[in-house]
Amino acid sequence: MLNSKLIVFFISLLISNIVLAQTPVQLPENTGDQYEIYRDNSVSDEFNDKILDSEKWGRRNTGGASIQGHENDASLVIMEKEKKNGKTTKYVSIKATKENGSPKTAGLVSQAAGFYGFYTVKFRFRGFDTDDVKEKGSVWHPSVWSATGNYTNEKKRSSIKNSAFWTEIDLMEWENGPNGWSSDAPARFRDSKGVKRKVITKGKGAEKAIMTKGPFQTYDPVWQTLGLEYTPEYIKLWQWKNDEWVHMGKRVVKFVDEDETNPESKYTINTIGKNARNPAFWYLGNIVAGYVLEKVEKGINKHTINDLSVDFDFFRYYRHKSLENTDWDWENGLKNGGGEVQKDFSEIETVKN
C-alpha cells in the first residue's frame, strides 16, 4: 500500500505536469533553462474573457482594402467558445468574408512589444477544408508575425528609434501560392549601397532567413500549437506534438556579426546580422494581399474568396532571462520601457495537440 508521502509526491508530479504544459520547460536538453517560467502578461493572452482585452490588443488599420475601413466592425473579431469531450475551449475568432463582392477581415496588434523569449500560439483555420480551396487556393493570408510598427485605429507607434535594422518574424504565414503555411524571418537592413531595404525574399539571390519552408497544408479545422525560440543567438521553430516539443524541420536561423563593408553577406537563408535584433509588436489575424486581389478581380487567377475563421486559443510570451534588467520602447506597453513586469505564474492546462 502506498504511504502518504509517496501519494503526495505523485500528486505533486501530476500538478507540475499541468502547470508546465506547453512551456519552455518541456524543451529538450535543458534548452528551456534560458527562459523565465512565468508568462509576461503584457503580451500573453488566454483569450478567455467575454470581450477582447483592449489594453493588450488593438485593431490593425493598415494592409489594404480588406483591413482598412473595417477596424470598427465588431462582427470580424468575436470571442467564442465550444465544448468538446466535456472540455470548454474559449478563443478569439478572426472572421473573413466578402461584402458586396469585396473581401473584409481583421487583424490584432499587441499594445506592448516583445523581444527575446519563447513564444507559443495555438490556432486553427475553419473554412480551408473545401474542394475549391484545395484546388484553387484562397485569397486569405492568415498569419502570426512581428513588426516594429504598431498601427491601430488609435495609435501609430514604433518599437525602435531611427534604425534601419530589424527582423520581421513570421511565426506562421499562409502563402497563397503554395496554399499552405510556412515560417521565416525576412530582415530589414542597410546594404552596401547605403539603401535601407528588405532582404530579397525569392529567386536565386534570396536573402530571407527561413525556419521551415513548408508548405504545411493543414486544411482541416484542427488546433495546432507552435513554439518559437527568439534568443540573442538564434531563432528556432517548434511544434507541440504527442505531448512534447518537436523541432520543425532541421533549420536554426543564427544571428551573426555584421560585415560593415558587405552587409548583404550576412543576410542569408540561414543567418541574420546581429544589428537586426530588435523588439517588435505581434500581429495575429488575416489579410488579403493586394497583388492577389488585383489578379482575382482581373480574372488572372482563380483563388476563391471563401468565408474563413482564424481562431486563437492562446498567445504566450516567456521572456529570455537576459532581459531581466533590460528596457526597450513599449516594453510592458510603456513608451520609454521600464515598469514592473507583468508576471503570470498561474496554472495552464495540458493540451493533447
Side-chain angles (χ1 to χ4, degrees):
M1 188 172 180
L2 292 174
N3 61 42
S4 59
K5 289 184 178 180
L6 195 55
I7 291 174
V8 170
F9 169 76
F10 282 120
I11 292 175
S12 299
L13 183 61
L14 176 62
I15 292 174
S16 67
N17 283 336
I18 292 175
V19 173
L20 300 177
Q22 296 174 305
T23 76
V25 174
Q26 281 77 42
L27 290 170
E29 300 177 355
N30 299 319
T31 301
D33 291 349
Q34 59 189 313
Y35 307 105
E36 302 287 0
I37 61 172
Y38 61 80
R39 303 187 296 285
D40 181 347
N41 257 359
S42 64
V43 178
S44 304
D45 202 330
E46 299 298 307
F47 300 116
N48 287 338
D49 297 328
K50 292 183 179 180
I51 61 174
L52 185 70
D53 189 341
S54 60
E55 292 187 3
K56 291 185 181 182
W57 305 99
R59 289 280 294 270
R60 181 182 181 184
N61 71 350
T62 60
S66 65
I67 290 278
Q68 291 167 244
H70 303 302
E71 54 265 44
N72 294 316
D73 188 337
S75 70
L76 297 175
V77 178
I78 302 177
M79 309 304 290
E80 296 182 344
K81 64 181 179 180
E82 64 181 12
K83 192 170 184 178
K84 185 177 181 180
N85 300 325
K87 181 182 181 297
T88 299
T89 301
K90 298 179 180 180
Y91 54 91
V92 61
S93 183
I94 310 297
K95 305 300 182 181
T97 186
K98 59 182 177 182
E99 186 176 80
N100 300 322
S102 297
K104 66 175 183 177
T105 187
L108 306 179
V109 191
S110 65
Q111 303 285 23
F115 201 4
Y116 302 136
F118 186 70
Y119 296 84
T120 67
V121 61
K122 184 180 177 185
F123 66 95
R124 70 177 176 186
F125 312 117
R126 289 184 291 159
F128 277 159
D129 57 335
T130 69
D131 291 339
D132 269 358
V133 171
K134 293 175 183 178
E135 179 184 348
K136 303 175 184 177
S138 171
V139 299
W140 303 115
H141 187 70
S143 58
V144 178
W145 62 291
S146 67
T148 55
N150 172 317
Y151 304 109
T152 70
N153 51 353
E154 298 176 352
K155 305 178 182 71
K156 183 177 180 180
R157 307 181 302 181
S158 176
S159 61
I160 58 175
K161 294 179 179 179
N162 303 318
S163 176
F165 293 82
W166 62 277
T167 299
E168 171 187 328
I169 299 178
D170 298 324
L171 201 167
M172 181 281 294
E173 180 181 30
W174 189 274
E175 298 185 56
N176 299 100
N179 209 23
W181 67 266
S182 60
S183 183
D184 51 43
R188 275 69 165 175
F189 71 113
R190 190 187 300 276
D191 66 19
S192 55
K193 297 179 180 179
V195 177
K196 295 181 182 179
R197 66 175 177 86
K198 183 178 180 178
V199 295
I200 299 170
T201 59
K202 296 179 180 180
K204 187 176 181 181
E207 303 162 325
K208 179 175 68 173
I210 297 175
M211 284 83 84
T212 180
K213 283 187 175 182
F216 298 98
Q217 296 173 317
T218 48
Y219 302 117
D220 294 334
V222 295
W223 288 106
Q224 304 172 74
T225 303
L226 301 180
L228 177 86
E229 285 189 89
Y230 177 20
T231 81
E233 288 80 35
Y234 63 87
I235 302 174
K236 188 174 182 179
L237 186 70
W238 298 83
Q239 180 181 35
W240 185 256
K241 190 174 183 180
N242 298 324
D243 299 330
E244 64 179 356
W245 288 116
V246 178
H247 180 203
M248 293 199 73
K250 299 179 180 180
R251 295 184 180 277
V252 178
V253 174
K254 296 182 179 180
F255 290 107
V256 296
D257 292 334
E258 299 280 354
D259 183 335
E260 300 299 332
T261 59
N262 185 24
E264 293 91 331
S265 66
K266 300 300 181 178
Y267 291 81
T268 73
I269 191 172
N270 297 312
T271 61
I272 298 173
K274 288 182 178 179
N275 287 347
R277 301 172 299 179
N278 270 307
F281 301 98
W282 281 91
Y283 286 69
L284 282 65
N286 203 351
I287 199 171
V288 176
Y291 73 93
V292 173
L293 183 58
E294 183 181 358
K295 290 181 178 179
V296 171
E297 291 174 339
K298 291 181 178 179
I300 298 174
N301 69 23
K302 302 296 182 181
H303 283 69
T304 181
I305 308 179
N306 55 299
D307 280 2
L308 180 70
S309 294
V310 186
D311 304 329
F312 297 97
D313 184 17
F314 59 73
F315 184 80
R316 299 170 182 158
Y317 172 42
Y318 301 84
R319 291 187 180 218
H320 194 271
K321 289 181 178 178
S322 66
L323 298 179
E324 183 177 1
N325 298 309
T326 303
D327 294 337
W328 58 88
D329 283 351
W330 300 109
E331 178 227 8
N332 290 313
L334 302 175
K335 183 174 182 179
N336 297 312
E340 185 176 350
V341 178
Q342 300 178 37
K343 301 179 181 180
D344 187 347
F345 291 92
S346 63
E347 294 183 3
I348 52 178
E349 188 175 352
T350 303
V351 183
K352 292 296 182 181
N353 53 14

